[in-house]
Amino acid sequence: MSTAHAAPFVNDAWLTGRAEGYERENPAHPGQVVGAITTADSAVVDDAVEGAVHAWADWRRRPAQERGRVLIRAAELVAARVDELSTLLTLEEGKTLAEARGEVVRTAETLRFHGMQAWQPCGEVFHGGANDEIVRTHRVPIGVVGVITPWNFPLNIPAWKIAPALVHGCTVVWKPASYAALTGAALVRILQEAGLPRGVLQFVPGPGARGQQLVEDPRVVAVTFTGSEAVGRRIAGICAARGAGFQLELGGHNPALVLPDADLDLTVRALVTSVVSGSGQKCTAARRILVHDDVRDAVLDRLTAALSQVKIGDGMDPASTIGPLISAEARDEVRQAVDNARTEGADVLVGAAPADDAHLDGGYYVRPTLLATDKPDLSLACEEVFGPVSVVLGFADVDEGFRLANTTRFGLSAAIFTGSERLARRAADEVDAGMVNINQPTTGSELHVPFGGMKSSSAPGPKEQGQTARDFFTETKAIYATAVR
Ligand code: NAP
Ligand code: MG
């Protein structure tokens, strides 16, 4: 198998000659090298920021539609390379090929959507208070932004941050996740091929310290980050102290509320998706399944049967419905969290056994696992563990179910399963989550709709995706003009 490569991309050059780097293994076949990554040191990050400052002087003045056309060309290139990109994504990150294809297609659509924003209105016009006066507003780009991304959607999350930054006239320095820098480099190559000018997008693979360097650099006017709560809080502190903008998408602990009048077939299908997709390594995965006592046995019988039939295996095998976790550490952390929950008194309904059959070749698998508890403060019922593991809690009346849906500090997504329009409406009104799904998995699935959380899942401010993405990368200017006669 030929291996992939990644390296820093700074001022239109791939810095492949540097000595420092590491190899990325295939999480389905540890020991099999997917590719080699050359990393940036602090001098490279410094050059990348300086280059982005220079590039901004010109990029911000280009017609927005010229900037948009580059993104639309990149969208076409991504769409033409679905096979190649999705294969690399599966080999490097582990998700199934079907999921990887979905992510690649959505990445093309994301690039196209934001490219097309150059043809949208860019301001408003107001009557002035004085005679003949008009006031108009328009949005201006803020400058060099730092983009720091996780490995779980290594094409689409970067695309939904980088594309609006670029179309609205910012330049970008991007620190990808170390586990998925090969896929990141593939996206950079495509944007380069689509015609991005020198310095407009700088790519600096390397450890978290390189990300922190970006966060601390006074030339970086704002940072958009998706990842863990701990790193996000640190970024917020540094940015707030130096007056830089920050946008955070952090963890979730998403409730799925099942009421007695739910359509159980639909509910179980949606719950399986919410637990297993991306091997549960999704910030929108269902972590707490809250089931009304009247349907508890019926739901759990079907759900455990469905989860025990999920086919674990290499994402490249079309028969697999769930791939490995990202690393041995991630697998061990999930297993430890399940063991701790058992020690705390939770019952295993399905899963929990190690996934170590010979055909799995030592890959980092975890069986889809459901634990039942009556303690809402069980750590697994409050803290996010990034794997295909969910906790079931029962409730006897609907008010109690709604209360349980809001008991964590997170508020990213939620789902309610009910036939009642009144209760669906109540969920939309009362569940503290950025995305409320009625009779659907716990996702936020549309790229043209704002995406993000409430409470500790995010930071207050403009949401990502959709047209609101613009607001983080621009600021409003008001122009007052009196007609000259
Ligand atoms: P992570 O450890 O926070 O890493 C995210 C990114 O930050 C990576 O590029 C990482 O680099 C970098 N980083 C690490 N330390 C840093 C520092 N001190 N300063 C600046 N950057 C630093 O998260 P992860 O392990 O990749 O992803 C899992 C987490 O992300 C989960 O908690 C999940 O809930 C969350 N997530 C949230 C969303 C959402 O939209 N809300 C989406 C996806 C994931 P390295 O890779 O080199 O460590
Ligand atoms: Mg991490």
Side-chain angles (χ1 to χ4, degrees):
M1 189 178 77
S2 71
T3 55
H5 294 278
F9 180 71
V10 175
N11 298 332
D12 242 357
W14 290 95
L15 307 182
T16 49
R18 297 178 36 73
E20 299 104 277
Y22 63 98
E23 288 180 333
R24 173 65 184 147
E25 64 180 4
N26 179 342
H29 302 283
Q32 194 181 93
V33 173
V34 180
I37 298 95
T38 305
T39 50
D41 64 7
S42 63
V44 169
V45 173
D46 194 55
D47 286 350
V49 175
E50 192 57 28
V53 171
H54 284 296
W56 187 54
D58 174 59
W59 183 244
R60 64 188 294 199
R61 292 192 173 84
R62 300 268 180 115
Q65 291 169 11
E66 186 183 323
R67 299 192 296 251
R69 278 189 199 100
V70 176
L71 295 173
I72 293 164
R73 268 196 299 279
E76 284 157 9
L77 292 170
V78 170
R81 294 179 197 167
V82 174
D83 289 344
E84 181 192 322
L85 290 166
S86 54
T87 300
L88 177 61
L89 176 43
T90 293
L91 293 175
E92 187 179 34
E93 198 267 351
K95 67 181 62 177
T96 66
L97 201 52
E99 290 174 321
R101 291 181 72 87
E103 178 170 349
V104 175
V105 169
R106 189 181 163 129
T107 298
E109 287 170 354
T110 298
L111 293 167
R112 186 176 300 114
F113 172 83
H114 292 291
M116 292 298 294
Q117 296 306 306
W119 282 263
Q120 290 295 319
C122 60
E124 292 178 301
V125 179
F126 300 83
H127 298 293
N131 248 359
D132 250 10
E133 193 193 51
I134 56 161
V135 185
R136 69 183 164 84
T137 61
H138 65 174
R139 310 277 317 185
V140 294
I142 55 178
V144 177
V145 296
V147 169
I148 303 176
T149 51
W151 43 262
N152 61 343
F153 289 91
L155 283 175
N156 200 22
I157 292 178
W160 85 47
K161 293 177 185 295
I162 292 169
L166 295 181
V167 77
H168 297 299
C170 294
T171 55
V172 168
V173 185
W174 172 24
K175 208 305 271 175
S178 295
Y179 286 129
L182 298 167
T183 307
L187 180 62
V188 175
R189 275 186 213 104
I190 282 175
L191 283 157
Q192 177 193 19
E193 195 179 327
L196 271 190
R198 174 188 163 105
V200 167
L201 172 63
Q202 314 274 46
F203 179 66
V204 288
R210 298 287 85 78
Q212 185 156 332
Q213 185 184 340
L214 276 182
V215 173
E216 289 169 351
D217 192 311
R219 297 165 295 180
V220 174
V221 298
V223 174
T224 174
F225 170 84
T226 298
S228 63
E229 199 184 7
V231 174
R233 294 284 156 235
R234 174 193 284 244
I235 289 174
I238 297 169
C239 287
R242 69 175 184 83
F246 54 91
Q247 181 179 51
L248 308 176
E249 286 309 332
L250 310 176
H253 205 289
N254 311 298
L257 191 55
V258 185
L259 300 185
D261 62 352
D263 172 331
L264 295 192
D265 288 335
L266 176 156
T267 301
V268 169
R269 269 199 312 278
L271 288 175
V272 170
T273 302
S274 305
V275 174
V276 309
S277 69
S279 302
Q281 302 170 113
K282 282 177 72 170
C283 50
T284 55
R287 303 287 177 207
R288 271 176 310 146
I289 300 176
L290 311 172
V291 191
H292 192 281
D293 290 344
D294 289 357
V295 283
R296 187 184 160 99
D297 290 347
V299 169
L300 295 186
D301 286 354
R302 293 185 202 203
L303 186 57
T304 51
L307 288 174
S308 63
Q309 278 158 25
V310 163
K311 179 102 174 37
I312 299 176
D314 183 347
M316 293 300 293
D317 178 349
S320 305
T321 45
I322 178 169
L325 299 197
I326 192 73
S327 65
E329 295 72 33
R331 176 203 57 199
D332 295 344
E333 225 174 88
V334 172
R335 286 186 182 168
Q336 186 63 53
V338 170
D339 286 348
N340 293 349
R342 295 167 100 160
T343 311
E344 286 178 72
D347 296 323
V348 175
L349 300 178
V350 65
D356 52 8
D357 321 11
H359 82 278
L360 294 177
D361 196 23
Y364 306 133
Y365 299 94
V366 171
R367 292 190 194 284
T369 299
L370 268 191
L371 295 131
T373 182
D374 54 7
K375 298 182 193 140
D377 57 350
L378 186 88
S379 23
L380 203 61
C382 305
E383 297 301 324
E384 180 179 57
V385 171
F386 232 40
V389 177
S390 293
V391 171
V392 176
L393 284 155
F395 61 88
D397 71 74
V398 171
D399 288 344
E400 170 69 353
F402 274 92
R403 196 189 63 75
L404 284 171
N406 282 335
T407 50
T408 75
R409 68 183 184 288
F410 296 110
L412 187 57
S413 67
I416 181 168
F417 298 92
T418 179
S420 154
E421 279 194 28
R422 183 181 61 80
L423 292 170
R425 172 68 197 268
R426 180 172 170 193
D429 289 345
E430 291 183 16
V431 177
D432 298 328
M435 280 106 34
V436 177
N437 294 275
I438 295 161
N439 297 317
Q440 299 197 63
T442 47
T443 55
S445 55
E446 299 288 355
L447 63 96
H448 60 299
V449 175
F451 176 97
M454 298 168 77
K455 302 197 286 187
S456 289
S457 290
S458 284
K463 293 254 194 284
E464 303 196 64
Q465 305 195 56
Q467 289 183 318
T468 51
R470 177 186 73 174
D471 298 352
F472 182 70
F473 300 106
T474 57
E475 52 201 340
T476 300
K477 234 180 182 176
I479 314 297
Y480 288 77
T482 300
V484 180
R485 296 190 195 281

